């Protein structure tokens, strides 16, 4: 059972927009920044969003992040076939003194 | 170019030990906190342990406390994970990951390709 809760799967057609939610608590998302990772099949995870809504160099503006209270959301616009991947949210949990992840969300581009 | 290359994985019997290594290059190793993150077959990501730049701040996930020990050698640009009393549930692909500048609480901006640990009799 993951500390952060994500939907197991989401899907949308190419060109459409999709959002992925991440729910936590006052000891993790409520107190700390949220990051998002993309894991393409058979590859290592890649940092997509950090500090709730910042994009590392090279990440397209189609990817966005937001946070409100104890929840966070990843948004992807202009969906492409290459966006099919597993997406994970992560943050620091102050009570656990540990990095924590969500269980992951599989994005299918129909 | 930042590179993280893990090694040391393999097949090991329950109760035995294994030591993973991560060779880092392309950045000033002793400026950054480092971590081990694992992924069981077909499952999600699980953070295992993190260590600050000077080894002063070390944390573990509860399930490995007392069995695993993280360490680093800044002179050799290397990160290690000593895994003792291994269990079947420790079977996973183990990734070495770097925190963004700022300590163990920062997100992971670079990842290795992982080394597979299989615990089975």
């Amino acid at each position: 059972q993951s500390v952060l809760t994500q939907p197991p799967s989401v899907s949308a057609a190419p060109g459409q927009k999709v959002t992925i939610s991440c729910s936590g608590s006052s000891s993790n998302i409520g107190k700390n920044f949220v990051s998002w990772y993309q894991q393409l099949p058979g590859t290592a995870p890649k940092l997509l969003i950090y500090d709730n809504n910042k994009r590392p160099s090279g990440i397209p503006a189609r990817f966005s992040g937001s946070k409100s209270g104890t929840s966070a959301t990843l948004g992807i616009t202009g969906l492409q076939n290459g966006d099919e991947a597993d997406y994970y949210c992560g943050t620091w949990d102050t009570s656990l003194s540990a990095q924590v992840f969500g269980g992951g969300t599989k994005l299918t581009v129909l | 170019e930042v590179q993280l290359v893990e090694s040391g994985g393999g097949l090991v019997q329950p109760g035995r030990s294994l030591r993973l290594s991560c060779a880092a290059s392309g950045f000033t190793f002793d400026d950054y906190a480092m971590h081990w993150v694992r992924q069981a077959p077909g499952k999600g990501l699980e953070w295992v342990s993190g260590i600050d730049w000077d080894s002063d701040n070390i944390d573990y996930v509860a399930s490995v406390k007392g069995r695993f020990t993280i360490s680093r050698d800044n002179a050799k640009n290397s990160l290690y994970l000593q895994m003792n009393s291994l269990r079947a549930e420790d079977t996973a692909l183990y990734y070495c990951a770097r925190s963004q500048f700022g300590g163990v609480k920062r997100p992971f901006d670079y990842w290795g390709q992982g080394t597979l640990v299989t615990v089975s009799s």
Side-chain angles (χ1 to χ4, degrees), chain B:
Chain B
E1 178 196 4
V2 172
Q3 282 199 320
L4 300 171
V5 179
E6 304 93 337
S7 60
L11 175 62
V12 61
Q13 293 179 327
R16 303 298 290 263
S17 300
L18 209 57
R19 188 193 196 209
L20 304 184
S21 299
C22 171
S25 61
F27 65 101
T28 304
F29 184 68
D30 55 11
D31 273 350
Y32 293 87
M34 298 294 296
H35 303 260
W36 290 99
V37 178
R38 67 185 178 185
Q39 187 168 33
K43 302 296 184 183
L45 302 174
E46 180 184 39
W47 174 82
V48 175
S49 181
I51 184 169
D52 215 340
W53 69 276
D54 60 356
S55 305
D56 194 45
N57 186 6
I58 290 176
D59 294 290
Y60 299 95
V61 68
S63 59
V64 308
K65 277 182 184 175
R67 300 189 299 123
F68 290 12
T69 302
I70 191 172
S71 62
R72 63 190 294 162
D73 186 335
N74 289 342
K76 294 183 178 179
N77 289 347
S78 294
L79 175 72
Y80 306 101
L81 186 68
Q82 177 66 43
M83 304 186 295
N84 298 332
S85 303
L86 282 161
R87 305 167 180 166
E89 53 265 35
D90 295 319
T91 294
L93 186 63
Y94 283 72
Y95 291 105
C96 168
R98 187 187 87 166
S99 264
Q100 281 185 333
F101 188 80
V104 290
K105 300 179 183 181
R106 296 299 295 159
F108 316 112
D109 58 355
Y110 286 94
W111 300 66
Q113 287 307 302
T115 186
L116 182 62
V117 173
T118 303
V119 184
S120 173
S121 55

